[in-house]
Amino acid sequence: MTEAVIIGVGLHPFGRFPGKPALDMGADAVRLALTDAGVNWPQIQGGYIGSYEVANPDAIVGRLGLTGVPLRGVFNGCATAGTAVALAARAIETGEHDLTIAIGLDKHPRGAFAADPSVAGIPSWYGQTGLFLTTHFFGMKINRYMHEHGISHETLARVASKNFRNAARNEKAWRRTPLSPEEILASPVLNYPLRQFMYCGPNEGAAAIVMCRADQAHKYTGKPVRVRSTALRSRRLGAFEVQSPSFPVGEPVDSPSVDASRAAYESAGIGPEDVDVAQLQDTDAGSEIIHMAENGLCKDGEQERLITEGATEIGGRLPVNTDGGLLGNGEPIGASGLRQIHEIVLQLRGAAGARQIPGTPRVGYTHLYGAPGASAVTILST
């Protein structure tokens, strides 16, 4: 099977851009990725584009050029971008295309995500009691995890503080004001134990990556980044996930993040000990903590010591969310996972500037998780 490699990345800043349509942001990100790859839009043979708010994201071809390219729309919750990347890579691996693109874009209104519970097959009472807000779920989930594994409120604050500090070094991030753990702990409680500055916020942005066959990469770049594996898993019976109306009875079932992580490691022939830098879904500070263990990067409960020691800092043993993560960048759903890929590619190229991790990183890891219980993992390497 032919290997897919990344030869170009592009990122439109994340934030709020009144008057600028999501499709225009997406077109800007695509142009940056094409320039980075050294290719023109007519050379792209196929691609996948994801968005939550834009019903027909493939209309972006009107901004880029009507070349007849098969550009397929995808949506898979917060795992949308991971899905687009996996499909674009698969098109190369199977020989369908030699040059592909993955694009993500979104423009969300202010406020937490909410909808009619019926769209997820849940009774109306679930929404009437306020439980359909994801902020409630994540608060309950980390509260239980803290009780079971000895995670402190201070550790939650340290995670958020780290991500805002990293975002301050990222010119394309949204929240670039550093906050101390003490300032974060002093902010209002939204859903116990999570406070105002421990949550990410829906916002606007776009990202794109260009891929080609590994044996043709020399025509475009001297630093291709290998797509070692992609994996996507949905929830299994008995798992406690976003929008679950009850806690499962009986033996606990692994989350889809655990399942996707294991599949990705096995496919890549790489273990957690090989990961040099990681991007984890930090919908809230507690999610980053839980996902460290669910992705095999530590054991449950070890996060307290690792985070206190600075292991997840840019200069630590395992830097996590070096660009600020969702906390620092916000989450335009369709683009969020491609932002993660963008950051890992920069880190592996040694081109991340003020937030570049030390040494020569060789393996990068990205993870997405969202409603109603879907997770995507991508492993990249030099």
Side-chain angles (χ1 to χ4, degrees), residues 29-364:
V30 169
R31 294 185 187 104
L32 289 170
L34 292 172
T35 299
D36 189 42
V39 302
N40 298 315
W41 176 248
Q43 293 175 261
I44 299 296
Q45 299 171 1
Y48 295 84
I49 179 167
S51 180
Y52 177 76
E53 300 289 349
V54 180
N56 58 333
D58 56 302
I60 197 172
V61 297
R63 270 84 165 168
L64 298 169
L66 302 178
T67 63
V69 61
L71 191 60
R72 304 162 179 94
V74 299
F75 180 71
N76 208 358
C78 294
T80 292
T83 305
V85 168
L87 292 172
R90 195 78 70 239
I92 289 173
E93 293 166 352
T94 59
E96 181 181 6
H97 299 306
D98 294 338
L99 202 60
T100 63
I101 194 164
I103 311 167
L105 51 93
D106 252 313
K107 190 178 181 75
H108 302 299
R110 297 178 184 274
F113 293 116
D116 186 329
S118 66
V119 302
I122 297 173
S124 59
W125 64 259
Y126 192 68
Q128 292 166 359
T129 55
L131 292 175
F132 201 62
L133 286 172
T134 55
T135 55
H136 286 196
F137 169 81
F138 288 114
M140 291 188 294
K141 188 172 184 179
I142 188 57
N143 192 39
R144 182 182 180 90
Y145 192 87
M146 291 168 71
H147 171 75
E148 292 181 340
H149 301 292
I151 304 299
S152 67
H153 292 263
E154 288 74 19
T155 292
L156 288 176
R158 288 188 183 104
V159 168
S161 180
K162 166 185 67 73
N163 289 357
F164 292 136
R165 190 164 55 251
N166 291 350
R169 306 184 188 189
N170 178 6
E171 69 281 359
K172 294 191 175 183
W174 183 30
R175 292 172 164 174
R176 300 192 61 199
T177 302
L179 293 172
S180 69
E182 294 74 22
E183 289 174 307
I184 292 167
L185 287 172
S187 65
V189 172
L190 296 187
N191 292 108
Y192 186 85
L194 298 173
R195 298 175 178 274
Q196 177 183 357
F197 298 122
M198 293 180 181
Y199 281 107
C200 79
N203 64 346
E204 307 170 16
I209 66 169
V210 177
M211 285 182 270
C212 77
R213 294 166 50 105
D215 59 359
Q216 296 181 6
H218 65 279
K219 297 191 297 184
Y220 308 106
T221 180
K223 290 186 175 182
V225 173
R226 300 170 64 191
V227 182
R228 296 295 294 270
S229 67
T230 62
L232 174 72
R233 293 293 185 273
S234 60
R235 67 196 188 282
R236 292 191 280 135
L237 180 64
F240 183 48
E241 307 301 332
V242 182
Q243 298 170 354
S244 296
S246 60
F247 193 80
V249 176
E251 290 297 317
V253 175
D254 286 333
S255 85
S257 292
V258 175
D259 293 339
S261 177
R262 288 172 177 166
Y265 285 131
E266 182 178 358
S267 177
I270 283 173
E273 67 280 359
D274 299 312
V275 174
D276 295 310
V277 57
Q279 292 280 100
L280 303 180
Q281 180 89 13
D282 58 321
T283 308
D284 59 279
S287 290
E288 179 173 319
I289 291 169
I290 293 172
H291 292 147
M292 286 174 63
E294 288 186 341
N295 287 277
L297 301 174
C298 68
K299 294 180 180 178
D300 289 312
E302 288 185 344
Q303 302 98 319
E304 183 76 9
R305 174 181 58 82
L306 292 172
I307 291 167
T308 300
E309 293 174 352
T312 59
E313 300 280 351
I314 285 177
R317 177 175 62 81
L318 180 62
V320 175
N321 292 331
T322 48
D323 65 347
L326 277 77
L327 289 173
N329 288 275
E331 185 178 29
I333 284 182
S336 191
L338 287 169
R339 171 192 56 77
Q340 292 182 334
I341 298 285
H342 177 274
E343 176 66 10
I344 292 297
V345 169
L346 292 186
Q347 291 288 347
L348 296 184
R349 287 176 175 175
R355 60 183 187 277
Q356 179 65 45
I357 69 172
T360 307
R362 300 185 182 281
V363 176

